Amino acid sequence: MGSNPPTVVHIIDLDNTVEVIVQSSDGSFHHHSVDSKLVKTSTDNLLEILQSSRLASINKNLIISPSQSLYDLLIAPVKTYLPPSGTLVLTLDTSLQSLPIGLLHDGKDYLLKRYSIAQTLGSKIRPPKFLPKEQLRALIAGLSKFSPSFNALNAPEGLKALLRVEQEVEDVKKQTTSSTVLLNEKFTSQALEQQLSTNHFSILHLTTHAQFSSDAQKTMFFTWNKPITVLEFDNLLKLNAQTNEDGIELLVLSACETAKGNKRSALGIAGVAAQAGARSTVATLWKVDADSTALLMEEFYRNGT
């Protein structure tokens, strides 16, 4: 028995106005228009807080304030057309693609407490499919030590060892049927390319440092021997797509700022992964704590099958 299609919310930036268009599960459309200056001000305020290096010590109310403002501007006017729970699929315009919709606050709770939130770049993204646990074949790669790549000329300063990576790798491995692990010295750019070009994986899980910049050469994640730039990553995924008919079903970028972007390329590494053929991508929009991320990843795989 099939289920109803999810409700889709399109949020389009037309410079002077932001248009919110709801496509309900019954196929009907509903529209709301709001002043773009109000949306952009609250969006900038929220992202500035979330991407701050002091996020862990920031008062929760400072996050809720712009979150609630955005909820009131974008979601509240169309709330009556949304289901009480379930999945919301968001298609966001370029200038808003770094906005974490799940964190919008209705005055009582965050949106993600009521809905499963999925974000797509548009119609070119392949729809996700359910993977039975017996099909969870994963390539798991990560760095838990200080690696030579941290000294690269285009690397940010202050990169440190990610101490919980080994535990996260082990936890993810336990939740998959078959896995190949590239850890520390084994996680080289050459090894990653060799695995992706010769083997078929439904899951690619990377737990390592990463950063996003408007400069493509500074948008990267780190292997043991060198950083992999966003353009090199795009080529690797396309190479995989040539040998793997089904492609990568799930790409997880468990690292700092992997989804962080700007107007020039708003979903960063995660966006490139989606455009290169990964059906579903999980990535972080801001700096994350290593311990909590390891726990989150363990629960994600345990409950995601």
Side-chain angles (χ1 to χ4, degrees):
M1 182 175 179
S3 58
N4 291 330
T7 297
V8 181
V9 181
H10 307 268
I11 303 181
I12 305 168
D13 183 2
L14 297 181
D15 290 333
N16 292 325
T17 63
V18 170
E19 307 298 321
V20 182
I21 302 172
V22 177
Q23 184 178 354
S24 299
S25 59
D26 63 4
S28 60
F29 287 85
H30 313 277
H31 170 257
H32 168 67
S33 182
V34 61
D35 187 335
S36 64
K37 290 182 181 179
L38 298 177
V39 175
K40 290 174 182 177
T41 297
S42 293
T43 298
D44 289 345
N45 290 342
L46 178 59
L47 291 179
E48 183 177 358
I49 293 169
L50 294 177
Q51 294 173 354
S52 168
S53 59
R54 300 182 295 104
L55 177 60
S57 61
I58 289 176
N59 188 296
K60 179 181 177 181
N61 290 331
L62 292 178
I63 298 174
I64 290 178
S65 179
S67 295
Q68 191 169 346
S69 294
L70 285 166
Y71 178 90
D72 292 341
L73 291 168
L74 300 173
I75 304 300
V78 297
K79 180 181 177 181
T80 185
Y81 307 116
L82 304 180
S85 60
T87 299
L88 291 183
V89 176
L90 277 297
T91 62
L92 304 182
D93 215 339
T94 304
S95 62
L96 299 169
Q97 284 178 346
S98 290
L99 178 62
I101 292 292
L103 284 188
L104 301 196
H105 201 281
D106 65 5
K108 295 181 180 179
D109 222 328
Y110 296 106
L111 208 61
L112 57 78
K113 289 293 186 72
R114 178 171 299 190
Y115 299 103
S116 296
I117 306 291
Q119 185 174 332
T120 175
L121 297 178
S123 59
K124 292 184 179 181
I125 304 305
R126 299 184 300 164
K129 64 179 182 180
F130 175 75
L131 278 179
K133 191 160 187 174
E134 60 270 17
Q135 294 182 18
L136 296 183
R137 188 161 188 266
L139 174 59
I140 308 168
L143 296 179
S144 66
K145 300 178 182 178
F146 187 94
S147 79
S149 65
F150 293 179
N151 293 319
L153 293 177
N154 55 353
E157 296 180 1
L159 293 181
K160 298 178 181 179
L162 296 169
L163 301 180
R164 282 297 300 269
V165 163
E166 291 189 30
Q167 183 62 52
E168 181 177 325
V169 167
E170 188 61 30
D171 290 340
V172 173
K173 183 179 178 181
K174 289 178 181 177
Q175 301 300 324
T176 60
T177 308
S178 173
S179 59
T180 298
V181 174
L182 302 175
L183 183 63
N184 293 323
E185 292 89 344
K186 294 183 178 180
F187 179 24
T188 64
S189 58
Q190 296 91 337
L192 182 64
E193 179 177 354
Q194 191 271 333
Q195 289 293 335
L196 289 177
S197 62
T198 60
N199 295 303
H200 294 181
F201 298 101
S202 56
I203 298 172
L204 173 59
H205 184 105
L206 303 176
T207 175
T208 178
H209 280 297
Q211 76 161 6
F212 181 83
S213 168
S214 57
D215 182 348
Q217 294 303 317
K218 294 182 180 179
T219 301
M220 67 190 79
F221 65 87
F222 290 82
T223 66
W224 179 260
N225 63 306
K226 58 168 283 189
I228 300 289
T229 68
V230 69
L231 299 178
E232 292 170 327
F233 189 44
D234 182 46
N235 290 332
L236 284 177
L237 292 177
K238 288 177 179 176
L239 182 65
N240 172 263
Q242 292 175 5
T243 59
N244 184 359
E245 182 177 341
D246 292 331
I248 293 171
E249 175 63 31
L250 174 65
L251 170 68
V252 178
L253 296 161
S254 175
C256 289
E257 302 181 51
T258 46
K260 183 179 178 182
N262 61 16
K263 293 180 181 180
R264 186 170 162 184
S265 185
L267 283 182
I269 296 171
V272 166
Q275 290 169 337
R279 287 182 185 266
S280 300
T281 305
V282 176
T284 54
L285 277 165
W286 53 82
K287 294 184 179 182
V288 291
D289 176 77
D291 291 341
S292 61
T293 300
L295 292 172
L296 174 64
M297 287 297 105
E298 181 181 5
E299 290 299 311
F300 172 76
Y301 282 99
R302 179 181 293 125
N303 293 288
T305 58

